[in-house]
Amino acid sequence: MAAIHITDIEAAINHWRHRAPASPDGLGLAPEVQALGEVYALMVYGRATEIDEDKLPSAAMAAWQTWYDTTPDTPCIAICSTSQGDDLCKGCGRTFDEVQFWPSFTPAEKRGVWRRITLEHSAWRFNRYAERAAEGVTLPGAANGGAG
């Protein structure tokens, strides 16, 4: 089983806090925030940075999965050097095996790869081709073919 990092739990909490704010009196939390918050609190208390995905309570897993569904599925930027024989893709930073087996990875396994390549920060998606990695972001001039 793959592990879910505490930063993903934080991101999911923030997603739900924005999507389902606290009650008007500020005392009640959305059920998703509460489920994830309990996991987060136990992780912080136990000084754990990861939790096995099979250990996540079902309500927290459902809330995390809903957040996960809003994230980009793949780090691919359509510059794949593994197809040219590289063991590590220069475009996205994944290994040959990660590229090949990506469709069969669980969401937690995919997030683990995302975390690694983000921390390494050496793939082209983070520097020279960062505009390709900007999910849903329209760059100035992009709408009119770059003129302007």
Side-chain angles (χ1 to χ4, degrees):
M1 255 312 130
I4 297 174
H5 197 268
I6 195 168
T7 56
D8 274 0
I9 301 292
E10 290 172 359
I13 289 169
N14 289 329
H15 165 82
W16 281 105
R17 286 180 61 216
H18 177 70
R19 187 171 172 184
S23 63
D25 62 6
L27 299 176
L29 296 174
E32 297 86 359
V33 175
Q34 186 169 346
L36 291 163
E38 289 173 5
V39 171
Y40 182 82
L42 290 171
M43 291 175 75
V44 169
Y45 182 76
R47 298 179 188 248
T49 58
E50 296 180 331
I51 184 170
D52 288 339
E53 63 182 322
D54 62 342
K55 299 268 196 278
L56 213 56
S58 60
M61 183 55 143
W64 182 85
Q65 182 69 47
T66 300
W67 163 78
Y68 169 81
D69 290 342
T70 68
T71 65
D73 178 58
T74 177
C76 181
I77 59 168
I79 300 175
C80 190
S81 67
T82 61
S83 63
Q84 305 300 315
D86 286 348
D87 289 332
L88 190 68
C89 180
K90 291 180 179 119
C92 70
R94 291 179 293 170
T95 66
F96 178 80
D97 285 344
E98 289 166 346
V99 171
Q100 295 302 307
F101 298 113
W102 191 260
S104 65
F105 282 9
T106 67
E109 289 170 328
K110 289 179 180 181
R111 290 301 302 165
V113 173
W114 269 101
R115 178 165 170 70
R116 179 185 56 75
I117 66 170
T118 301
L119 289 172
E120 290 173 356
H121 208 70
S122 60
W124 289 349
R125 79 176 335 275
F126 298 109
N127 48 50
R128 70 172 71 170
Y129 293 104
E131 74 280 357
R132 287 188 179 202
E135 297 290 332
V137 175
T138 304
L139 299 174
N144 59 6

